[in-house]
C-alpha cells in the first residue's frame, strides 16, 4: 500500500463531506450522517500490528480506523431515491467490549437539505442491509416529530435480508421495536430487479444473509454502490481480509475478490459508504496489485 494511490492521503483520516457526480442524466451524491471509529485489528482481525505500522495513512491520531456513515442520494429528473439511511440522531461512546470506537450520526437531514432535497421528496429508501448504521433515519423519529423522516417512502429491503430479520445473520437480530418501525413500509426486492431508472439490485450475501449492492448505470458508466462488501480501502489491496462483522467471512472474501476485479473494469466506478472522505473511486493496478484510486468528486 505504500505505493498506492492512497498513501499519505489525509482524506482517509476524516469523515466524508458531501460528494456528487453525474452518470449521464443521473446525479449521485454522498449524504454524510456521521462517522464510526474502528479498532484496526478488531475490525480486520486478519491484520497485524505490523500491517498498521506500515500504513498509518488509514489511522487517525488516536490509532483508529475512521469510517464514514451516511447514504447515497440518486436523482433522475424530479425523482429521488436514497440508498441507506445512516445511523440516525444519536451517538455512542467507544465501547471496550466491541471493536468500535465512538459512533455518531445526526447530520443526514442537514446534508440532504444542502443537496436541495427534503425528506418528503424521497420516493423510496433502498437498504443494502439492516445493520443499525444503515437504517438509522428509517427507524428513529425525526427531530420535532413522532415519525421517522422517511415514513412516507417505500422501504426497499432485499427479500432474503427481510426473511432473516429475526436472525443473527441479518442485522444482528432486529428487535421487535425496530421491526415494528420498519415493517409497515417495507417492500421486499429481488436480485436483478430495477427499482429506479438505471438502478438494479444485486444480492451479494456474505456480510449478512441478504446483503445487497446497487448497480447504477448512466452515460455509459456503471457505478456499484457496494455497501458493506468493503469497509476500508485497504481491503481492495487485500480482499482476503474480512471484517469482523461479516456473517460469512469466507463467502464475503470470495465476493470481494470478484468485486475488486469488476471495479477495475473500464467504465466502472465504486461507491464505498464507509470509505472516509474517498467514497467515490476506481480500482487501478498499482505495483503488484490493485488499489483504490479516489475520484475528486
Amino acid at each position: 500500500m505504500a505505493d498506492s494511490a492512497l498513501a499519505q492521503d489525509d482524506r482517509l483520516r476524516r469523515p466524508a463531506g458531501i460528494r456528487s457526480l453525474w452518470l449521464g442524466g443521473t446525479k449521485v451524491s454522498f449524504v454524510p450522517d456521521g462517522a464510526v471509529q474502528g479498532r484496526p485489528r478488531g475490525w480486520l482481525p486478519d491484520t497485524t500490528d505490523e500491517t498498521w505500522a506500515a500504513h498509518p495513512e488509514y489511522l487517525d491520531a488516536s490509532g483508529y480506523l475512521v469510517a464514514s456513515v451516511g447514504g447515497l442520494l440518486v436523482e433522475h429528473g424530479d425523482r429521488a431515491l436514497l440508498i441507506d439511511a445512516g445511523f440516525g440522531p444519536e451517538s455512542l461512546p467507544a465501547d471496550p467490549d466491541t471493536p468500535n470506537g465512538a459512533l455518531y450520526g445526526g447530520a443526514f437531514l442537514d446534508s440532504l437539505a444542502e443537496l436541495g432535497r427534503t425528506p418528503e421528496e424521497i420516493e423510496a429508501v433502498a437498504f443494502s442491509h439492516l445493520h443499525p448504521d444503515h437504517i438509522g433515519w428509517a427507524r428513529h423519529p425525526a427531530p420535532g416529530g413522532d415519525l421517522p423522516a422517511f415514513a412516507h417512502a417505500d422501504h426497499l429491503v432485499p427479500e432474503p435480508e427481510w426473511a432473516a430479520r429475526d436472525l443473527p445473520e441479518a442485522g444482528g437480530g432486529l428487535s421487535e421495536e425496530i421491526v415494528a418501525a420498519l415493517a409497515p413500509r417495507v417492500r421486499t426486492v429481488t436480485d436483478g430487479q430495477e427499482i429506479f431508472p438505471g438502478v438494479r439490485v444485486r444480492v451479494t450475501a456474505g456480510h449478512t444473509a441478504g446483503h445487497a449492492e446497487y448497480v447504477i448505470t448512466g452515460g455509459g458508466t456503471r457505478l456499484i454502490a457496494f455497501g458493506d462488501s468493503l469497509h476500508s480501502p485497504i481491503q481492495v489491496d487485500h480482499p482476503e481480509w474480512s471484517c469482523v462483522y461479516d456473517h460469512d467471512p469466507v463467502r464475503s472474501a470470495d465476493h470481494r475478490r470478484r468485486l475488486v476485479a469488476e471495479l477495475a473494469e473500464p467504465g466502472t466506478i465504486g461507491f464505498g459508504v464507509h470509505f472516509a472522505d474517498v467514497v467515490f473511486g476506481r480500482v487501478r493496478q498499482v505495483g503488484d496489485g490493485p488499489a483504490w484510486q479516489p475520484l475528486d468528486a
Side-chain angles (χ1 to χ4, degrees):
M1 183 66 188
D3 297 325
S4 87
L6 282 178
Q8 308 308 317
D9 193 330
D10 286 341
R11 291 177 294 175
L12 286 162
R13 305 172 186 267
R14 63 185 187 230
I18 289 174
R19 296 285 185 270
S20 299
L21 57 86
W22 287 87
L23 309 172
T26 298
K27 183 182 179 184
V28 293
S29 303
F30 179 63
V31 186
D33 189 38
V36 57
Q37 294 177 313
R39 294 182 174 88
R41 291 187 62 192
W43 269 27
L44 298 173
D46 291 328
T47 62
T48 65
D49 289 340
E50 289 73 21
T51 301
W52 301 109
H55 302 300
E57 68 270 16
Y58 287 104
L59 307 180
D60 66 14
S62 56
Y64 285 96
L65 283 166
V66 177
S68 46
V69 175
L72 185 69
L73 174 66
V74 185
E75 299 175 278
H76 187 84
D78 293 333
R79 299 178 63 183
L81 167 80
L82 274 174
I83 298 174
D84 288 332
F87 185 58
E90 64 175 337
S91 299
L92 296 176
D95 183 348
D97 295 325
T98 77
N100 293 341
L103 169 60
Y104 66 91
F108 200 84
L109 299 187
D110 289 339
S111 298
L112 197 63
E114 190 171 339
L115 286 162
R117 289 287 183 175
T118 65
E120 293 74 24
E121 294 177 285
I122 306 301
E123 64 182 65
V125 184
F127 297 98
S128 60
H129 61 298
L130 297 175
H131 280 169
D133 56 321
H134 294 260
I135 64 172
W137 288 94
R139 70 181 185 91
H140 286 288
D146 298 324
L147 294 175
F150 304 103
H152 63 285
D154 285 340
H155 291 5
L156 309 181
V157 181
E159 191 281 330
E161 184 79 351
W162 188 247
R165 62 189 177 275
D166 297 326
L167 304 176
E169 55 264 34
L174 298 184
S175 69
E176 292 182 5
E177 179 183 6
I178 294 175
V179 170
L182 297 178
R185 290 168 283 278
V186 165
R187 177 160 62 88
T188 58
V189 295
T190 57
D191 186 51
Q193 182 176 342
E194 186 174 42
I195 60 169
F196 190 79
V199 182
R200 291 191 180 273
V201 182
R202 185 165 77 176
V203 176
T204 57
H207 179 62
T208 62
H211 180 275
E213 298 169 346
Y214 292 90
V215 181
I216 306 166
T217 55
T221 300
R222 169 181 61 166
L223 183 142
I224 303 172
F226 50 74
D228 281 12
S229 296
L230 291 155
H231 286 78
S232 168
I234 200 171
Q235 290 176 288
V236 173
D237 304 51
H238 294 278
E240 71 276 14
W241 290 347
S242 288
C243 178
V244 68
Y245 293 116
D246 288 345
H247 165 68
D248 188 332
V250 173
R251 190 172 182 181
S252 66
D254 286 344
H255 171 67
R256 248 187 325 276
R257 293 183 183 97
R258 294 191 296 272
L259 174 63
V260 167
E262 192 175 13
L263 290 169
E265 294 175 2
T268 302
I269 296 170
F271 169 74
V273 69
H274 292 314
F275 273 26
D277 206 19
V278 293
V279 291
F280 291 114
R282 296 184 174 92
V283 170
R284 292 290 182 262
Q285 196 75 11
V286 177
D288 295 330
W292 184 251
Q293 181 184 63
L295 295 180
D296 291 323

